[in-house]
C-alpha cells in the first residue's frame, strides 16, 4: 500500500509517496538521494544509518518512513552552517577520526545526539550514580554512549578524542 508523507530533511521539506514497508533509510537514500546516512547492516546493529529524528538520534534502518510523517530529520549533511562545519565535523577531520569514512556520518550524528543526551543528564550503563544528573564524559562514558556505532576500520582511537574535545 502506498501512502503520501511529508518529511523535513536537513531543513528542506519533501513530499513523497512511499510503500508502507519503506524504511526511513531507504526513503532518504533511494527516494531523496541523500547519501549521508549509510546502509551498513540494515538490521540495527552498526549505527551507520543514524540520523536525528525530531532531535534525538535514531537508527533510520529500523524506522518506517510512514511512521514519521511530518518529522524533522537531520543527517550529517545538514549539520554544517553553510560553509561553516559543525564542531564535531571539524574535530573528526582534525583528529583524523576515520579511514574509509563509511561509518563517519553516522558517528558524527550519533555524537551530536549523545552530547545533547549527556547535557540533559541522561545516565548511561556505566554511570556510577544514575541520579547524579550531571554527566562527565570521560573515555569510558563516551565509549559506552557511542557503542551503537561500529567502525570496521577501528578508528575508535581517534574518534573518542575527537568527541571528547567537543564535549569539553
Ligand atoms: S544500517 Fe542501520 S544500524 Fe546498521
Ligand atoms: S572509518 Fe571505515 S568503518 Fe569507520
Amino acid at each position: 500500500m502506498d501512502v503520501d508523507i511529508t518529511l523535513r530533511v536537513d531543513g528542506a521539506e519533501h513530499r513523497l509517496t512511499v510503500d508502507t514497508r519503506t524504511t526511513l533509510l531507504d526513503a532518504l537514500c533511494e527516494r531523496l538521494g541523500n547519501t549521508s546516512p549509510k546502509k551498513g547492516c540494515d538490521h540495527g546493529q552498526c549505527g551507520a544509518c543514524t540520523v536525528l529524528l525530531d532531535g534525538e538520534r535514531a537508527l533510520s534502518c529500523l524506522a518506517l518512513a510512514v511512521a514519521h510523517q511530518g518529522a524533522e530529520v537531520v543527517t550529517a549533511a545538514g549539520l554544517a552552517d553553510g560553509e561553516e562545519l559543525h564542531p564535531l565535523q571539524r574535530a573528526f577531520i582534525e583528529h583524523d577520526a576515520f579511514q574509509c569514512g563509511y561509518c563517519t556520518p553516522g558517528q558524527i550524528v550519533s555524537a551530536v545526539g549523545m552530547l545533547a543526551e549527556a547535557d540533559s543528564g541522561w545516565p548511561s550503563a556505566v554511570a556510577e550514580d544514575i541520579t547524579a544528573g550531571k554527566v562527565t564524559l570521560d573515555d569510558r562514558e563516551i565509549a559506552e554512549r557511542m557503542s551503537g556505532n561500529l567502525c570496521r576500520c577501528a578508528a575508535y582511537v581517534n574518534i573518542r578524542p575527537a568527541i571528547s574535545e567537543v564535549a569539553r
Side-chain angles (χ1 to χ4, degrees):
M1 185 173 116
D2 287 349
V3 176
D4 295 332
I5 61 166
T6 304
L7 292 173
R8 197 167 167 78
V9 182
D10 296 335
E13 191 163 293
H14 300 273
R15 296 211 175 118
L16 60 168
T17 305
V18 291
D19 183 289
T20 50
R21 296 164 293 183
T22 307
T23 64
L24 180 60
L25 176 62
D26 285 344
L28 291 170
C29 297
E30 292 174 13
R31 301 295 305 285
L32 301 181
N34 188 320
T35 56
S36 188
K38 300 287 188 276
K39 189 177 284 188
C41 63
D42 212 16
H43 282 90
Q45 293 172 345
C46 73
C49 64
T50 307
V51 297
L52 295 177
L53 194 48
D54 290 329
E56 291 183 4
R57 52 184 175 162
L59 298 174
S60 59
C61 72
L62 293 186
L64 288 174
V66 73
H68 298 287
Q69 151 66 24
E72 181 85 37
V73 181
V74 177
T75 73
L79 290 175
D81 182 8
E83 297 293 301
E84 188 67 26
L85 291 180
H86 186 282
L88 274 162
Q89 292 173 313
R90 257 202 324 272
F92 267 62
I93 293 170
E94 281 160 12
H95 286 267
D96 200 17
F98 45 82
Q99 288 183 38
C100 76
Y102 196 77
C103 72
T104 311
Q107 297 276 3
I108 291 175
V109 170
S110 187
V112 171
M114 182 277 283
L115 292 180
E117 290 162 16
D119 226 30
S120 304
W122 291 21
S124 77
V126 297
E128 305 271 331
D129 175 5
I130 62 166
T131 62
K134 185 167 163 27
V135 176
T136 303
L137 285 174
D138 55 19
D139 276 2
R140 195 159 159 260
E141 278 280 0
I142 292 174
E144 166 59 25
R145 290 170 185 264
M146 292 296 295
S147 60
N149 289 82
L150 305 183
C151 175
R152 281 173 287 187
C153 301
Y156 304 110
V157 69
N158 291 356
I159 291 171
R160 275 198 289 276
I163 297 172
S164 175
E165 181 184 290
V166 177
R168 283 198 302 275

